[in-house]
Amino acid sequence: MDMDKRPPADGGDGCLVGVIRIPVKIVAVLVVLPVRVVWELLVAAGRAVHRHVLGPLYVHVVEPLLRALGRLLTILFKLVFVWPWTGLWRYVLVPVGQGLAWLARGLYDHVLAPAGRFLTTYLLRPLGAGLAWLGRGGMRYLLAPLAKGVTLVAWALGMTLFVWPWVALWRYVLTPVGRGIAWLAAAVYRYVLTPVGHGLVWLLVALFRYVLRPVVLGLAWLVAALYRYLLKPVGLGIAWLAAGLYRYVLTPVGQVLLWAWHVAGRIVAALWRGLKLVVWVLVGWPASRVYRHVLTPVGHAVREVWRTGRAAVSEARATVRRALFGTPPVEPARSRARTLGSTTAADAAPADEISLPRRQG
């Protein structure tokens, strides 16, 4: 039996579809059809009224009335809000402003300018000269002496409050006290600190000369003798012993250990290769033969049995679905091409996979 064979697209409907479709058709005829007829009649009547009544009425009556009303409102707006203000500006404000400007220029040229020149020449200039002379005389004979007196008083007050008390304090109090303290410090330095310092210096010199110097010289001689006659011979002996031990003991032992390490590495590598060969011969090669000649054919047979059973189950499900619900819609060619030969329909058997090998006969 060919599993890839698909049912025809125009198959019969199932019993469940027929039972549901009859009440739906009855409801559509009794309810939907009258409503649709009334709607179509209303649409046709509306189009006829718009074409033969409302359209000509708007073109020949309403539109001319609206245009005339717009022109009337425009003229009324200009008459109320534009022309009065334009006439007021053009015939009242502009002439009045020009007359006021001409009057102001004439008043300035013939009244204000001559009056200003006369006042400047015969009143303001002599008045300014008199005030200047009076100011210079007042500065020289009144303000300058007054300022000198105020300055002298301020100087005397400042000296009395801020200078002379401190000068007197320095001259009659601090200077004698400082001189007394200086004399006392000089006496203490000369008769107390100098003898004490000389005694301490003599004591330190004697301590260094007769105590510290002999002790330091003895320690230096002891350290030099210890280094020359004990540490140096012992160090030379230890160095000679370490050199001989390294040259005649450690170097041969290290060479022997290195040779033994290389030999052991080669032996271990040979044993590892032999062990891998033995494991391959005893386990790997038989396992590969069993997988290739036993497990692979058995797997292919199980896969074919599974595919055949799944195709039979899918065919049975598709037959039941066709009996209940009718023929399902056919999948478009574009969708089949996109799924690379497979199908999304529930009643079709899956196509062969591309990456699987050919069946062995």
Side-chain angles (χ1 to χ4, degrees):
M1 181 176 65
D2 190 2
M3 295 300 176
D4 293 336
K5 183 178 180 181
R6 294 178 176 83
D10 54 351
D13 296 331
C15 58
L16 186 59
V17 175
V19 170
I20 295 174
R21 184 177 297 175
I22 293 173
V24 172
K25 289 182 178 180
I26 294 172
V27 172
V29 171
L30 295 179
V31 178
V32 178
L33 184 60
V35 175
R36 182 57 184 272
V37 171
V38 172
W39 174 255
E40 293 295 336
L41 291 176
L42 291 177
V43 170
R47 290 177 180 175
V49 169
H50 175 73
R51 181 178 300 174
H52 300 287
V53 178
L54 296 180
L57 181 63
Y58 176 79
V59 172
H60 300 289
V61 177
V62 178
E63 187 175 2
L65 287 177
L66 292 178
R67 289 181 181 177
L69 183 60
R71 291 178 183 177
L72 180 61
L73 291 176
T74 302
I75 294 173
L76 184 61
F77 179 79
K78 288 181 179 180
L79 184 62
V80 174
F81 295 102
V82 178
W83 290 341
W85 300 105
T86 303
L88 180 63
W89 172 261
R90 184 177 297 175
Y91 300 106
V92 177
L93 296 179
V94 173
V96 171
Q98 292 176 354
L100 291 176
W102 177 82
L103 182 62
R105 284 196 299 270
L107 182 63
Y108 176 78
D109 293 336
H110 299 288
V111 177
L112 296 178
R117 287 193 294 268
F118 176 79
L119 291 175
T120 302
T121 304
Y122 298 103
L123 181 61
L124 296 179
R125 188 175 294 172
L127 182 62
L131 290 176
W133 178 83
L134 183 62
R136 286 194 298 268
M139 177 64 69
R140 180 177 298 177
Y141 299 105
L142 180 62
L143 295 179
L146 183 61
K148 289 181 180 179
V150 172
T151 303
L152 183 60
V153 171
W155 178 81
L157 184 61
M159 293 293 290
T160 302
L161 293 178
F162 300 103
V163 177
W164 290 340
W166 301 105
V167 170
L169 179 64
W170 172 261
R171 183 177 296 176
Y172 300 107
V173 177
L174 296 180
T175 300
V177 172
R179 288 177 181 177
I181 293 174
W183 179 83
L184 181 61
V188 171
Y189 175 76
R190 179 178 296 179
Y191 298 106
V192 178
L193 297 179
T194 300
V196 173
H198 289 171
L200 289 177
V201 169
W202 180 83
L203 182 61
L204 292 175
V205 170
L207 182 64
F208 175 76
R209 181 178 295 175
Y210 298 106
V211 178
L212 296 179
R213 184 179 179 184
V215 172
V216 171
L217 291 177
L219 290 176
W221 180 83
L222 181 62
V223 170
L226 184 65
Y227 172 75
R228 180 179 295 177
Y229 298 107
L230 180 61
L231 297 180
K232 186 176 181 180
V234 172
L236 292 175
I238 293 174
W240 178 81
L241 181 61
L245 183 65
Y246 175 76
R247 180 177 296 176
Y248 299 106
V249 178
L250 297 179
T251 301
V253 171
Q255 292 178 355
V256 171
L257 291 176
L258 182 63
W259 175 80
W261 178 263
H262 287 296
V263 171
R266 293 181 180 180
I267 293 173
V268 170
L271 290 176
W272 177 250
R273 287 194 295 270
L275 181 61
K276 288 198 298 183
L277 180 61
V278 170
V279 170
W280 168 252
V281 171
L282 296 179
V283 178
W285 185 80
S288 64
R289 297 298 95 187
V290 169
Y291 175 77
R292 179 174 297 178
H293 298 289
V294 177
L295 297 180
T296 300
V298 170
H300 290 173
V302 171
R303 185 181 59 190
E304 293 299 329
V305 171
W306 171 256
R307 182 179 297 173
T308 303
R310 188 174 61 180
V313 171
S314 299
E315 184 66 24
R317 291 173 59 189
T319 302
V320 172
R321 187 178 289 108
R322 283 197 300 270
L324 292 176
F325 303 103
T327 303
V330 181
E331 183 183 3
R334 182 178 179 183
S335 177
R336 290 198 302 270
R338 187 171 62 248
T339 54
L340 298 177
S342 64
T343 178
T344 57
D347 58 346
D352 294 337
E353 297 180 359
I354 297 176
S355 60
L356 293 177
R358 297 181 179 275
R359 300 177 181 178
Q360 296 180 0

